[in-house]
Amino acid sequence: MSLADVIELRRATDPAWLKLAIERFDEVLIDHAHCEKKAAANALSILQAYPTVPGLPAQMARLAREEAAHLARVLQIMEKRGLVLGVDRGDPYAQGLQKLMRNPNAERQLDRFLVAGIIESRSHERLALLASGLEDPALQKFYDELAKSEDGHQKLFLRLAREIADDAVVEARLGQLLDGEAELIARLPIRAAVH
Ligand SMILES: [Fe+2]
Ligand SMILES: [Fe+2]
């Protein structure tokens, strides 16, 4: 069996999302800052929860640093546009994925890695769409760079999942979670937000 090294999403983003995201880009930017904040926090939370997985602490420390750097850059762009961060109103997409996670310890660990990877994969898709749709060359370049970075992160989480579970278990669970994510994407209303 040849194993994929990327998480392939099962439902593409509706083109209406990009149209809305470009029209209401300031709102997307603010949500994007919250996403990067949550990605950095999640990396440290995973480090805290699973320090014995080989290589994980250093990888999560680097990931947290990268996500925090993304956050700082988004905040800088927001500042230039006179935008303030405000309170995080929550993200129905992340909450929906949260509900798919199982609770027993071993299952929860695998699900956390796979769900984190799926979010990175979806973020990669959406940020690449922003790069293709925004007119400002500086913003295009910024989103292109971030999309590539998130693509690296989804691969990292998939590798971590393979560290802790058999290939067949990873494939089966990843398939279930990807189906759940596709269903969620189809069901949730389109928002002026990253997800
Ligand atoms: Fe990021
Ligand atoms: Fe990321």
Side-chain angles (χ1 to χ4, degrees):
M1 181 165 77
S2 81
L3 292 169
D5 69 342
V6 292
I7 296 174
E8 299 274 4
L9 298 172
R10 296 188 171 175
R11 188 184 181 92
T13 286
D14 186 327
W17 173 80
L18 181 59
K19 190 171 175 291
L20 181 73
I22 301 295
E23 278 166 12
R24 291 164 58 184
F25 179 63
D26 283 352
E27 287 165 75
V28 173
L29 256 183
I30 294 169
D31 177 71
H32 182 188
H34 285 298
C35 288
E36 298 292 0
K37 172 202 68 188
K38 283 178 269 200
N42 190 49
L44 292 180
S45 164
I46 286 178
L47 192 165
Q48 165 78 10
Y50 311 114
T52 59
V53 176
L56 183 146
Q59 284 163 339
M60 288 302 106
R62 279 198 297 271
L63 180 60
R65 187 172 62 190
E66 258 182 65
E67 303 291 23
H70 293 172
L71 170 61
R73 291 172 70 190
V74 177
L75 289 171
Q76 204 173 31
I77 295 169
M78 283 171 51
E79 198 183 323
K80 279 191 202 143
R81 299 167 80 97
L83 302 169
V84 290
L85 186 58
V87 175
D88 190 347
R89 290 202 183 80
D91 174 349
Y93 171 75
Q95 285 157 6
L97 289 176
Q98 204 74 35
K99 289 199 189 111
L100 300 176
M101 291 209 242
R102 298 165 299 177
N103 261 319
N105 279 341
E107 284 89 345
R108 184 159 186 86
Q109 182 179 13
L110 179 62
D111 286 4
R112 279 192 77 178
F113 294 174
L114 291 176
V115 165
I118 289 171
I119 295 174
E120 294 285 359
S121 185
R122 182 62 71 187
S123 303
H124 160 70
E125 185 219 27
R126 295 265 166 116
L127 299 187
L129 283 170
L130 286 176
S132 74
L134 288 162
E135 278 184 7
D136 177 348
L139 285 174
Q140 276 177 10
K141 191 165 168 284
F142 175 67
Y143 276 104
D144 192 50
E145 196 188 311
L146 259 61
K148 288 195 180 89
S149 174
E150 310 308 355
D151 195 37
H153 299 163
Q154 59 128 330
K155 291 176 185 163
L156 167 63
F157 280 114
L158 184 56
R159 284 198 303 274
L160 283 174
R162 296 201 196 288
E163 270 305 315
I164 59 152
D166 291 342
D167 293 338
V169 172
V170 173
E171 293 316 296
R173 186 58 185 153
L174 180 59
Q176 289 171 347
L177 289 169
L178 282 169
D179 282 342
E181 197 263 0
E183 188 268 326
L184 191 61
I185 285 287
R187 175 162 54 84
L188 289 175
I190 290 170
R191 299 192 310 140
V194 176
H195 304 118

